[in-house]
Amino acid sequence: MTVSHWQTDPEPPLYETDFLIVGAGLTGCSAAIFATAAGHQVTLTDARGLGLGASSRNAGFLLSGIDAYYHRACERYGEATVRELLALSLRTHEHWRRWAEGRTAITPSGTLLLAQTAAEARDIERAARALAAAGIEHIHHPRDPLERGYHAALERRQDAAVHPLALLQAVFDQSDATLLENNAVHQLEAATSDTVLVHSRRYRIRARHVLLCVNGYAPLLHPYFRGKIVPVRAQCTVTEPLEQSLLKTCGYADYGYWYFRETDDGRFLLGGGRAAHRDQENDTSEDRTTPAVQAEIDTYRQRHFPEIRVPVARRWAGIMGFSADGLPLVGRLPGLPQIGFALGFNGNGLALAAGVAERAVELLLEGRHPGALAAERLR
Ligand SMILES: Cc1cc2nc3c(=O)[nH]c(=O)nc-3n(C[C@H](O)[C@H](O)[C@H](O)COP(=O)(O)OP(=O)(O)OC[C@H]3O[C@@H](n4cnc5c(N)ncnc54)[C@H](O)[C@@H]3O)c2cc1C
């Protein structure tokens, strides 16, 4: 999100707020609720509008924990961290449920993690053993429960599905924040010892606290994030309404590179296809579809769901923020301690965003350590 010389006045009007949040997606809107609850007057600003980033472009899967097989995650991060992230995701689910109540449905669909290959089926078996040893609820299917050419599956009944933009609207409605749309931020600087001056397209904004919730766009906003966050594109499709329902759950396969579900209005949603096109799909903030990935998606649909005859109604793309080690980042900008950040969701923000936003607000306002999310771990 760059801002050209011509798009902004040399001296745009001064706007003053107590707590400014940059990025009005699920993370920013959640943070707005926590900052308001802590007694602050909150303004959200977004380069586009409410939820127009990944938060309204995703598949709407509410997974529990981090998006990796349990045993692999434990090897990489240690079991204490994996459990901390699992607890944080369950806390996020609780926040969503409370904020969504009476406004939009969170459907208890469960999820099926499907093995695309025999090798992945062995990983599923190991993950199931590790989950059983840890006492975490799951069902191991040694064969494909869908009978669609997969090799095995891991079922998580506690997972759910949402209409992501309806959820986001529900969160925003409870935040009490003022929203400045069409207002990209392009520069951050210290104003006085305890205020920050944020240069945006329409205003110079003076704030006591600033929280960056721009996920995949972070390296475009501040050099601190280069090498720590990579913008990664994900592409998706939805068909016209199906003639009859095919699936009651959310399925994802090939270590999460493919994902599919039915929407509330009976359409088939299928996304993925970037594994074979990483050169084009990694390190880009352009949310456009590409013929190569879209062709992969169409082939995958025909292979696993050949009975679908209705045409594709819509194709889209969105930008995710992948962190260098696969865990979200919460911290403050070096030399600018009034500016915090909550980002790096690795394609799993519905599982974690509210809990991560809560820790970022606590760090910024109370100095509370954000645990395994602490950004200092990445130098
Ligand atoms: C196709 C696809 C499928 C996905 N499926 C799932 C799924 O099923 N489950 C799941 O958990 N996650 C999924 N994700 C990931 C999920 O959408 C994200 O993790 C989540 O939305 C992150 O929320 P956010 O608020 O941090 O970021 P975003 O929603 O991207 O919000 C960032 C906001 O910052 C704004 N912004 C950026 N730069 C600036 C600037 N300089 N000034 C002002 N504003 C700025 C943007 O306009 C944007 O609105 C998927 C993502 C995609 C693209």
Side-chain angles (χ1 to χ4, degrees):
M1 305 283 165
T2 55
V3 176
S4 84
H5 175 66
W6 319 109
Q7 288 171 352
T8 179
D9 290 339
E11 268 303 90
L14 185 67
Y15 180 102
E16 303 213 47
T17 188
D18 182 22
F19 196 113
L20 177 73
I21 298 171
V22 183
L26 282 164
T27 311
C29 292
S30 303
I33 293 186
F34 297 119
T36 308
H40 293 266
Q41 178 247 329
V42 179
T43 303
L44 276 158
T45 182
D46 199 284
R48 290 172 284 188
L50 183 67
L52 293 182
S55 293
S56 61
R57 295 164 185 272
N58 61 61
F61 290 21
L62 236 78
L63 305 182
S64 39
I66 45 181
D67 183 18
Y69 287 134
Y70 193 77
H71 65 297
R72 287 187 166 221
C74 291
E75 281 159 24
R76 187 165 182 197
Y77 307 113
E79 187 159 12
T81 297
V82 176
R83 282 194 169 269
E84 183 183 333
L85 271 288
L86 176 61
L88 197 66
S89 79
L90 298 179
R91 186 166 176 80
T92 294
H93 288 205
E94 273 174 35
H95 288 314
W96 296 151
R97 289 207 165 87
R98 196 172 60 256
W99 297 334
E101 201 177 349
R103 294 172 174 86
T104 186
I106 296 188
T107 310
S109 58
T111 52
L112 272 182
L113 175 49
L114 294 144
Q116 197 75 50
T117 60
E120 193 177 3
R122 288 193 288 280
D123 249 342
I124 284 203
E125 199 184 325
R126 285 186 210 112
R129 274 205 298 270
L131 286 165
I136 298 171
E137 198 188 321
H138 69 285
I139 300 168
H140 178 214
H141 297 274
R143 288 195 180 66
D144 176 10
L146 299 180
E147 299 185 354
R148 289 184 178 276
Y150 298 102
H151 291 254
L154 198 61
E155 186 175 347
R156 304 291 306 271
R157 292 218 167 133
Q158 58 274 55
D159 295 350
V162 284
H163 181 314
L165 186 56
L167 174 65
L168 179 104
Q169 185 70 55
V171 178
F172 174 73
D173 288 347
Q174 286 168 77
S175 75
D176 236 10
T178 304
L179 175 64
L180 305 177
E181 294 186 306
N182 192 12
N183 191 47
V185 166
H186 57 93
Q187 200 191 331
L188 308 160
E189 63 172 289
T192 62
S193 58
D194 58 357
T195 60
V196 174
L197 195 59
V198 172
H199 298 268
S200 66
R201 200 179 72 72
R202 293 161 50 206
Y203 305 99
R204 282 174 302 136
I205 307 176
R206 189 157 46 213
R208 279 205 302 143
H209 310 280
V210 176
L211 187 64
L212 308 178
C213 298
V214 295
N215 203 28
Y217 301 93
L220 304 178
L221 180 56
H222 197 280
Y224 168 79
F225 298 107
R226 291 188 200 139
K228 296 185 175 69
I229 298 286
V230 178
V232 173
R233 180 165 56 212
Q235 301 191 34
C236 209
T237 61
V238 81
T239 65
E240 294 292 351
L242 296 167
E243 281 147 9
Q244 60 180 56
S245 173
L246 298 176
L247 198 65
K248 292 284 169 241
T249 187
C250 293
Y252 61 122
D254 192 13
Y255 299 93
Y257 279 107
W258 290 103
Y259 40 93
F260 47 83
R261 61 175 277 205
E262 268 180 45
T263 59
D264 297 341
D265 58 351
R267 298 161 189 265
F268 188 74
L269 178 151
L270 172 63
R274 73 185 167 81
H277 301 277
R278 285 178 225 210
D279 285 358
Q280 290 80 45
E281 303 305 296
N282 287 4
D283 208 1
T284 178
S285 57
E286 253 190 299
D287 53 23
R288 67 183 177 91
T289 58
T290 63
V293 171
Q294 290 294 317
E296 292 249 5
I297 294 178
D298 291 343
T299 305
Y300 192 89
R301 188 184 315 98
Q302 280 148 19
R303 180 170 152 212
H304 290 285
F305 296 88
E307 68 271 51
I308 296 180
R309 299 261 178 263
V310 291
V312 170
R314 198 172 295 233
R315 301 175 187 273
W316 70 91
I319 302 302
M320 308 180 289
F322 276 45
S323 67
D325 68 352
L327 298 180
L329 296 187
V330 167
R332 304 173 195 249
L333 284 184
L336 288 169
Q338 305 95 327
I339 306 185
F341 51 85
L343 34 80
F345 290 100
N346 304 287
N348 200 19
L350 277 165
L352 292 163
V356 172
E358 188 174 15
R359 286 202 187 173
V361 171
E362 288 170 354
L363 170 70
L364 206 51
L365 296 179
E366 299 161 30
R368 193 176 300 168
H369 192 274
L373 309 177
E376 300 94 79
R377 68 182 194 273
L378 300 181
R379 296 277 163 206

